[in-house]
Amino acid sequence: MVDFQNSNAVGAPAADITRVLVLERRYYVIEAIKNYQRLLNKGMTVDSYEIKAGLAALFLEQQGAFRRNFKQEDEFMQIAEELLGDNKITYERCVVIFWKLNEILDKVKITQLDTKRQYDSTLVTDEDEEKGT
Amino acid sequence: MSEDKTMYDHGWPVSEKLVENVKALYTRVMEENKAALIAVDGGVGEGKTTLCTHIGDIAQGSPIDFNKQLAMGGEQFMQKLELCYKEGLHVLVYDEAGDFNKRGALTKLNQTLNRVFETYRAFKILIIVALPNFGVLDNQLFDNKIPRMLVHLRGRTKKQGNFRAYSLYRMLYVRHYMKDQKMVVKEKAYDRVDPNFVGHFLNLPKEREALLASVSTKGKISFLKKTSVELGNYLTYQQLALKVGRSENWTRQAVSKLKIKPARVIDTAKYFSPETVQHLKDEIKRRQA
């Protein structure tokens, strides 16, 4: 977690801190899914409450971005109710929700790594265009 | 592969990647109206002229006409450029080999190329230059981003020639390493930069090779003849006139009167042995007496 008592954290731009927090929340969800799969495959009875909790935290962390990027407001509201309500949701549904949130995190370039334009380096015209020569 | 093979399975005598690149550069010239020069460099006998011919054929989409589209040396270059313009030809091969040891040839080469690309760009012409080392091309050409691809030849075998190709971006790095004082062997500069692609090329078909030889050797023979004149210290009418301090007209008449035969005749130019100067000086003394 980000240590808010640390002077470095206090001095850092809010966007940078938020980015770290989102990545942490996302990491916890992935870890919860991993644990679920591990126990399930071990033959144990498992529950998806940990995944749901992780998803709820991730959802709240970037609530605004998710709202703006869901194509339909209804879908956003439905996910909000599912994650923040006191109901139980299945593992399958959790994965579907995480999938959608993950796609948005990629779209808003929080988790996207392949930002460098791919070009065919065996075509001299392409390389020179890319390099600006 | 037989030694007589002159075409790969894909239908061209060069690696497919080079075909793709040449076509892309030709499109750049024709459709985007941008300047482009392809430099082909390598040592003697690596197949520079052969590969230039292949590249010209690929760009044009049909065999280039050696008489119109192959310039051996700077003198022919401007003439053939004009010819290409008149006849609507968009590819010109400039084989710099004919100029290799002329004093000031490199400066002239750079000046010519700069002028060509500044004034003749609208002609939409792709120029392919064969030269021993692309490092002789000057900064202005690179500042204007004119050379777009370097094809460096090395290690030709009996069956095929081998090349490495560099984009302008990589060419600039090769050039930088070449200028390094510690780079004693210039060839090593090419090794320090990864080429964009490597490939091979085959010889020209026999009949085309013979045609090329006749065109390219014509220029070289004339050059050799002129060189032999320089080495033999033979003198022209103009040089004789300067030596004896008389007009060229007087010299011609005196030579004719004394019935001095030229030592060499190349094309229409007459060259006289150094002894002619003494004969002319004696003639001057006789006339003054």
Side-chain angles (χ1 to χ4, degrees):
Chain A
M1 288 294 286
V2 175
D3 179 6
F4 288 102
Q5 301 305 315
N6 187 309
S7 59
N8 285 339
V10 174
D16 290 354
I17 293 174
T18 309
R19 185 182 293 266
V20 174
L21 286 170
V22 170
L23 292 173
E24 274 186 325
R25 304 278 184 216
R26 182 172 165 275
Y27 169 77
Y28 288 138
V29 177
I30 294 170
E31 280 297 297
I33 292 173
K34 189 184 101 181
N35 280 335
Y36 183 95
Q37 286 288 347
R38 186 168 53 81
L39 297 172
L40 185 76
N41 287 307
K42 212 175 173 184
M44 295 168 77
T45 310
V46 279
D47 201 287
S48 60
Y49 72 92
E50 203 183 341
I51 306 174
K52 187 197 167 193
L55 281 172
L58 176 65
F59 183 81
L60 289 172
E61 196 69 63
Q62 272 299 296
Q63 184 194 331
F66 291 136
R67 184 167 44 78
R68 283 190 294 276
N69 284 284
F70 267 109
K71 282 178 188 160
Q72 290 162 338
E73 179 86 11
D74 292 352
E75 195 181 8
F76 169 78
M77 288 310 295
Q78 189 197 336
I79 288 175
E81 280 168 21
E82 278 180 278
L83 292 179
L84 304 174
D86 55 5
N87 55 311
K88 273 195 164 190
I89 53 175
T90 62
Y91 168 77
E92 287 73 21
R93 181 62 187 153
C94 283
V95 170
V96 170
I97 293 173
F98 181 60
W99 195 278
K100 287 180 180 175
L101 300 186
N102 220 7
E103 290 281 313
I104 292 172
L105 292 178
D106 181 77
K107 192 179 158 192
V108 298
K109 294 189 170 55
I110 287 181
T111 56
Q112 194 184 54
L113 293 174
D114 54 342
T115 50
K116 201 174 172 186
R117 198 192 140 218
Q118 297 296 309
Y119 69 93
D120 181 1
S121 66
T122 63
L123 261 182
V124 294
T125 41
D126 272 22
E127 176 163 285
D128 286 330
E129 196 184 320
E130 176 63 22
K131 303 286 184 188
T133 46
Chain B
M1 188 176 64
S2 108
E3 279 187 32
D4 297 313
K5 188 171 178 179
T6 53
M7 205 73 81
Y8 290 115
D9 293 341
H10 55 77
W12 290 104
V14 300
S15 297
E16 219 166 356
K17 204 73 212 176
L18 182 63
V19 177
E20 200 182 329
N21 275 278
V22 170
K23 284 183 177 171
L25 284 172
Y26 191 67
T27 307
R28 182 188 149 89
V29 173
M30 298 304 291
E31 287 174 18
E32 297 172 32
N33 199 17
K34 286 180 177 170
L37 178 147
I38 299 175
V40 177
D41 79 346
V44 175
E46 291 290 352
K48 294 189 290 289
T49 314
T50 304
L51 187 61
C52 282
T53 307
H54 288 324
I55 294 174
D57 293 351
I58 294 163
Q60 188 167 269
S62 60
I64 57 164
D65 184 342
F66 292 136
N67 291 315
K68 294 171 186 167
Q69 292 173 282
L70 173 65
M72 304 293 295
E75 283 170 26
Q76 285 186 5
F77 184 58
M78 294 308 282
Q79 296 166 2
K80 296 213 171 173
L81 186 69
E82 214 176 310
L83 192 66
C84 284
Y85 172 60
K86 276 181 191 163
E87 304 217 356
L89 300 166
H90 297 284
V91 178
L92 178 60
V93 176
Y94 177 15
D95 194 336
E96 196 254 346
D99 274 341
F100 67 97
N101 60 356
K102 283 186 188 170
R103 197 182 299 155
L106 296 178
T107 317
K108 204 174 166 187
L109 163 79
N110 283 307
Q111 279 176 350
T112 310
L113 289 174
N114 275 310
R115 197 180 315 135
V116 164
F117 284 106
E118 274 162 21
T119 49
Y120 292 76
R121 188 167 54 85
F123 290 6
K124 291 183 177 178
I125 196 153
L126 175 69
I127 293 179
I128 305 153
V129 182
L131 68 181
N133 184 312
F134 91 103
V136 300
L137 298 176
D138 73 2
N139 284 335
Q140 202 186 342
L141 278 169
F142 283 95
D143 289 346
N144 287 332
K145 298 179 179 178
I146 288 166
R148 302 310 307 189
M149 179 165 71
L150 165 69
V151 186
H152 177 62
L153 309 184
R154 189 197 283 182
R156 191 182 193 180
T157 65
K158 271 186 180 177
K159 292 179 181 177
Q160 63 184 15
N162 302 304
F163 65 81
R164 305 157 170 210
Y166 300 84
S167 63
L168 171 60
Y169 176 73
R170 294 182 197 217
M171 235 190 282
L172 291 167
Y173 278 96
V174 178
R175 209 161 160 264
H176 169 74
Y177 292 130
M178 222 175 246
K179 285 179 182 170
D180 187 348
Q181 294 293 316
K182 290 175 191 164
M183 193 64 73
V184 179
V185 182
K186 278 188 181 176
E187 191 70 23
K188 292 280 174 199
Y190 297 93
D191 296 340
R192 291 188 67 176
V193 181
D194 284 336
N196 291 77
F197 62 96
V198 295
H200 316 287
F201 63 97
L202 298 168
N203 287 331
L204 288 166
K206 290 278 179 235
E207 62 276 17
R208 201 127 194 271
E209 198 176 295
L211 199 64
L212 173 64
S214 72
V215 174
S216 73
T217 47
K218 217 187 279 174
K220 285 172 189 168
I221 286 170
S222 140
F223 172 76
L224 283 174
K225 278 182 181 170
K226 282 175 188 166
T227 308
S228 71
V229 167
E230 282 165 23
L231 290 173
N233 292 323
Y234 297 123
L235 303 161
T236 60
Y237 281 119
Q238 204 175 11
Q239 287 163 329
L240 285 172
L242 278 171
K243 294 255 183 199
V244 296
R246 288 286 190 271
S247 72
E248 199 181 319
N249 200 23
W250 182 92
T251 311
R252 280 175 188 276
Q253 284 173 359
V255 167
S256 171
K257 192 187 164 196
L258 295 170
K259 293 181 180 164
I260 300 170
K261 294 255 165 72
R264 301 285 300 268
V265 180
I266 296 171
D267 298 330
T268 53
K270 290 175 181 168
Y271 296 88
F272 297 89
S273 64
E275 293 82 56
T276 314
V277 177
Q278 195 52 51
H279 292 313
L280 291 173
K281 280 182 179 170
D282 293 344
E283 176 65 11
I284 293 169
K285 274 182 196 165
R286 258 197 304 278
R287 288 189 190 186
Q288 282 171 345

